[in-house]
Amino acid sequence: MMKTILIGKQYHPKISTMINVTDKKYRATPLVTFIIDRKKNKLSLIGGRNGELSVITVPLEEQAPQLKDSKWSMDAQMFNDYCQNCLDNASDDEPIVFFVDEQPNMETYIIGVTSNYSVRRWQCEEPCQEHLDHFTALEHRHFLSSSTDILKTILNQANYQRPFDSLKMNKGQNEIMVQRDNAILRFALPNNLAADIDLVVDRAGLEILENVCQHAQSDTIMVSISNEQMTVSDGQHHYSAPRQSLPNFEKKSKNNAKIEATLIVNILTLKSEIYTYKSVHQIKRNNTSLILITENEAYLSALGSTVESFQRLSTLNITASEPNLYSINLSQLLKVNIKDITAMNSVTMRILKTRDGSRKLAFYNERDNDHPYSSIPITRNRNKDDLNNMQNLLSIYKQQQQGDDVKQQDMIGFDDI
């Protein structure tokens, strides 16, 4: 007679988190591991990406009493597919069901039946040693505790400062610090709220914290940090992520840059032109984009060996100290997150010149017009060939805008560049 394993509805968000971080590009077959421990009265499921493992724990009293102490691993890809089918089609109280089929020859099979009665069958194998080592290490990790409510409030406040690369909170202090575009920024917490834990997290760690807080049913969240890994737990389930190098938050950020030009441009026009650059191999290979700024216009261009792209940026406002032509690294421009950084139809860009003479193109959203969410290096371009080429493209553009019978015109202020 087959035994059953039931994953109740309250654990479905945990299963969803696990299957969403399974490494689909992992060279070896990804695995999920089951550990049944009668003495500790728990069934543990271990899975996820290498270094980003989740451990989901289910009390054994919710399982068939015939289940014995055992450990095994099985294919995670079909596990994910089966669980996703169950998640998509389960009724209000319907659990995810696995049948354990133990053969006389000591082989074990796991069977699942989908909503349309397709059978999924796994042959179990020896438990994954990496999973076992991670599971054992968790028992020896030192955890710090934080109030779930306090942590939720701090994370909600931090969301108003997005995007940022890392976040720091100090126990007893009424502020948080974030790193954005290599600058350290401080923001006060509301209503005299103070953090009850010392914590520095990067984006991956922040994602785990938010996920655990969202689904936590306990009053406290526990966090363990080592040099290489961060683990967050609600006391029952554990989620880990590798730690990246973090900034020195004690270093004060100084803004000594001079604004050389400010552009408020239509975000759809900018995104459309950048999409073209991504799509044309010649342009990507040449890896250079040009920005021409005149008294009241701005133009974006990119060139390949036999192709050219040129577009007027629909500027809602422009302020420039003088006309200039600039060059930027195209691959760096393509990495800037233009999508979903603002609810507005426009994005603000500024060309900033620092004391050492270097320049950067900085991007801002409506939540913070003083500190950029991202920036890339930009340089003045005095190459005559590039200048002449931009003049020719601008003339073509103006002809198409004003009619072919219009004579070619010199750029406004072009001789001043």
Side-chain angles (χ1 to χ4, degrees):
M1 180 179 177
M2 289 191 290
K3 307 162 188 176
T4 58
I5 292 176
L6 306 177
I7 311 298
K9 191 78 173 180
Q10 66 271 37
Y11 304 109
H12 290 187
K14 322 294 184 185
I15 294 292
S16 181
T17 298
M18 175 187 287
I19 65 179
N20 285 335
V21 297
T22 298
D23 195 346
K24 300 177 177 63
K25 297 181 180 179
Y26 193 52
R27 291 182 182 178
T29 302
L31 300 170
V32 60
T33 299
F34 284 63
I35 299 177
I36 299 173
D37 190 329
R38 276 287 170 194
K39 185 176 180 180
K40 294 182 178 180
N41 189 39
K42 63 183 183 180
L43 161 68
S44 300
L45 284 72
I46 309 169
R49 269 193 296 266
N50 183 25
E52 298 181 57
L53 294 174
S54 300
V55 180
I56 301 171
T57 302
V58 179
L60 273 181
E61 58 256 26
E62 301 177 15
Q63 308 302 317
Q66 298 88 353
L67 287 174
K68 300 178 181 178
D69 286 356
S70 54
K71 305 174 184 177
W72 70 79
S73 292
M74 62 192 205
D75 184 280
Q77 292 173 330
M78 196 159 78
F79 172 88
N80 294 352
D81 179 81
Y82 173 67
C83 288
Q84 191 62 59
N85 177 275
C86 295
L87 294 174
D88 291 341
N89 297 283
S91 59
D92 289 344
D93 298 318
E94 188 175 358
I96 299 173
V97 181
F98 295 94
F99 298 97
V100 182
D101 183 14
E102 296 172 329
Q103 298 290 320
N105 60 3
M106 304 301 293
E107 289 186 350
T108 300
Y109 292 86
I110 304 297
I111 298 170
V113 182
T114 69
S115 59
N116 61 351
Y117 302 103
S118 295
V119 174
R120 305 288 185 250
R121 187 171 185 250
W122 296 260
Q123 182 176 1
C124 297
E125 54 187 274
E126 289 296 315
C128 172
Q129 191 59 49
E130 178 190 341
H131 291 180
L132 295 181
D133 291 343
H134 177 79
F135 185 73
T136 301
L138 287 177
E139 297 179 352
H140 304 286
R141 295 281 292 269
H142 174 66
F143 284 86
L144 301 174
S145 296
S146 175
S147 161
T148 303
D149 290 338
I150 290 178
L151 207 50
K152 278 184 178 180
T153 304
I154 291 176
L155 295 178
N156 287 336
Q157 290 298 311
N159 277 331
Y160 290 109
Q161 316 307 332
R162 287 182 181 271
F164 54 83
D165 298 314
S166 51
L167 165 73
K168 181 178 183 180
M169 61 186 81
N170 290 324
K171 185 176 181 178
Q173 291 191 8
N174 179 238
E175 68 173 10
I176 57 174
M177 290 179 279
V178 301
Q179 181 203 30
R180 183 195 303 155
D181 192 43
N182 296 317
I184 305 301
L185 310 175
R186 298 172 180 267
F187 300 95
L189 294 172
N191 303 323
N192 296 319
L193 176 70
D196 60 354
I197 188 175
D198 292 320
L199 188 61
V200 181
V201 293
D202 56 19
R203 290 182 183 178
L206 193 66
E207 185 176 336
I208 290 177
L209 271 178
E210 290 176 325
N211 182 276
V212 173
C213 284
Q214 180 183 356
H215 299 291
Q217 297 178 336
S218 60
D219 295 331
T220 59
I221 300 295
M222 299 191 301
V223 181
S224 176
I225 294 178
S226 67
N227 290 333
E228 299 179 350
Q229 193 177 64
M230 172 179 174
T231 299
V232 183
S233 174
D234 59 3
Q236 183 175 0
H237 315 285
H238 297 76
Y239 305 89
S240 300
R243 294 189 85 209
Q244 306 298 323
S245 59
L246 294 168
N248 179 9
F249 277 89
E250 304 308 319
K251 182 179 179 181
K252 294 184 179 180
S253 176
K254 296 182 179 179
N255 184 10
N256 296 319
K258 174 186 175 183
I259 299 176
E260 198 165 81
T262 298
L263 313 174
I264 303 177
V265 304
N266 182 287
I267 198 169
L268 294 179
T269 303
L270 181 61
K271 287 167 62 175
S272 175
E273 195 68 4
I274 290 177
Y275 179 80
T276 297
Y277 298 167
K278 290 181 178 180
S279 306
V280 180
H281 180 67
Q282 280 192 40
I283 290 178
K284 288 187 69 174
R285 185 172 56 189
N286 191 42
N287 201 32
T288 299
S289 184
L290 303 176
I291 294 180
L292 172 68
I293 298 176
T294 66
E295 182 179 352
N296 54 10
E297 297 287 356
Y299 303 89
L300 185 66
S301 176
L303 313 174
S305 56
T306 64
V307 297
E308 300 167 332
S309 181
F310 182 89
Q311 175 63 284
R312 172 182 172 271
L313 294 175
S314 300
T315 51
L316 307 179
N317 187 26
I318 181 169
T319 304
S321 57
E322 59 180 343
N324 271 314
L325 180 66
Y326 299 91
S327 295
I328 53 179
N329 182 294
L330 180 58
S331 62
Q332 292 179 328
L333 176 62
L334 297 180
K335 292 178 182 178
V336 176
N337 182 19
I338 303 296
K339 182 181 180 182
D340 297 332
I341 55 89
T342 175
M344 308 291 285
N345 294 323
S346 61
V347 61
T348 298
M349 301 188 299
R350 291 191 181 108
I351 296 175
L352 306 177
K353 184 179 180 180
T354 61
R355 286 183 174 180
D356 65 6
S358 63
R359 293 175 172 86
K360 65 180 182 179
L361 178 62
F363 297 81
Y364 302 77
N365 60 28
E366 74 276 7
R367 291 193 293 268
D368 193 339
N369 199 41
D370 297 321
H371 306 100
Y373 71 86
S374 185
S375 69
I376 58 175
I378 188 170
T379 59
R380 286 278 299 273
N381 187 329
R382 299 185 183 276
N383 183 285
K384 292 296 183 182
D385 290 338
D386 287 340
L387 290 171
N388 291 334
N389 195 60
M390 289 291 281
Q391 185 176 27
N392 292 333
L393 290 170
L394 179 58
S395 296
I396 294 171
Y397 176 84
K398 287 186 174 182
Q399 284 182 4
Q400 297 303 313
Q401 291 294 307
Q402 300 175 13
D404 291 339
D405 58 336
V406 178
K407 294 181 179 180
Q408 289 191 7
Q409 303 176 37
D410 288 339
M411 284 189 213
I412 298 173
F414 184 84
D415 293 335
D416 297 327
I417 297 178

